[in-house]
Amino acid sequence: KHYDINLKNKVVNDYFSNEGGVIYLGKKYKIISGDKFAIKDDLIICDSNKTKKETFYKVRDSFLYIIKERMDYYSKVFNIYPLFEFKEMKSKFGYCLYLKNKIVLSKRLIHYSLKEIDYVIVHEFCHFFVPNHSKDFYLKVAEVIPDFKRTVKDLKKSSYLCKY
C-alpha cells in the first residue's frame, strides 16, 4: 500500500534517487566517478569503469558489517546468540526461525536509518520469546524500544525502499 502511494507521489521509485544517487542508512548520497571507491560526506565515489548498479551493490555489500554489528549488540542485550544471514528479500525486512535459532535479514535494510534497522532486529529477537505478534510480543519489543510505534510508522512510510 505504502509503495503504491509513494510511486503515485513520484517519490523514489527504485534503489537510486531521482538525482542519480543511492539511499544509504536513510540518507541520500550522490554518486560521482573517481579513481577508487570511497564514501565521503554526501558523496559516493565509484570507480569510473563501474555502472551505477555495480556501485550500488558494492556500497551495500561493503556496509553489511553495520547490520552485523547491530546483531552482535542485540545478541548481548537478549543473551541469545542466533545464527544470522542476509538475503535478498523484496517484501520482508527479516524473519526469525526460532526453532532453528536463526534470524534472516534483508540486504535492503541498508537503505533505512539505524533506528529502523534496530527495530527490525529487535522485532526478530523478540520472536525467540514470543513466536507470534500478540500483545505479549509487543510488550517485549517495548522493553527494548519504548517508542517502537513511531519507528514502525516511519518504517512503513519508507517501505518503498525495500521494493525494487
Side-chain angles (χ1 to χ4, degrees), residues 37-100:
F37 178 79
I39 295 181
K40 295 179 182 177
D41 303 320
D42 62 345
L43 297 175
I44 294 175
I45 302 164
C46 65
D47 300 336
S48 53
N49 59 348
K50 302 282 184 192
T51 66
K52 276 182 161 184
K53 196 167 190 173
E54 289 171 324
T55 300
F56 165 73
Y57 286 121
K58 182 157 178 121
V59 169
R60 185 194 61 196
D61 293 341
S62 295
F63 293 97
L64 287 176
Y65 76 88
I66 289 173
I67 294 175
K68 184 185 177 318
E69 286 176 351
R70 303 310 298 156
M71 284 290 295
D72 290 345
Y73 172 79
Y74 285 108
S75 287
K76 292 174 186 164
V77 168
F78 287 101
N79 198 25
I80 297 173
Y81 299 88
L83 300 170
F84 63 94
E85 70 176 73
F86 303 107
K87 249 179 133 172
E88 277 295 336
M89 291 188 272
K90 291 187 179 187
S91 61
K92 292 182 181 183
F93 297 115
Y95 56 90
C96 175
L97 300 167
Y98 61 91
L99 293 176
K100 293 184 178 182

Side-chain angles (χ1 to χ4, degrees), residues 25 67 93 105-112 116-117 120:
L25 294 178
I67 294 175
F93 297 115
L105 297 173
S106 173
K107 289 183 177 182
R108 298 167 191 231
L109 279 175
I110 207 68
H111 299 299
Y112 297 88
E116 293 164 332
I117 291 169
V120 171

Side-chain angles (χ1 to χ4, degrees), residues 7 10-24 27-32 44 46 50-60 111 160-161 163-164:
L7 280 180
K10 295 185 177 154
V11 184
V12 179
N13 60 8
D14 63 0
Y15 49 77
F16 294 109
S17 68
N18 295 331
E19 295 83 32
V22 66
I23 299 171
Y24 167 68
K27 183 180 169 189
K28 290 182 184 178
Y29 289 83
K30 187 174 179 181
I31 297 174
I32 61 170
I44 294 175
C46 65
K50 302 282 184 192
T51 66
K52 276 182 161 184
K53 196 167 190 173
E54 289 171 324
T55 300
F56 165 73
Y57 286 121
K58 182 157 178 121
V59 169
R60 185 194 61 196
H111 299 299
Y160 63 93
L161 293 173
K163 311 275 188 190
Y164 55 83

Side-chain angles (χ1 to χ4, degrees), residues 1-7 153 156-160:
K1 179 180 173 185
H2 290 282
Y3 176 65
D4 293 336
I5 290 168
N6 285 312
L7 280 180
K153 284 181 186 178
K156 286 181 179 180
K157 282 181 188 174
S158 57
S159 66
Y160 63 93

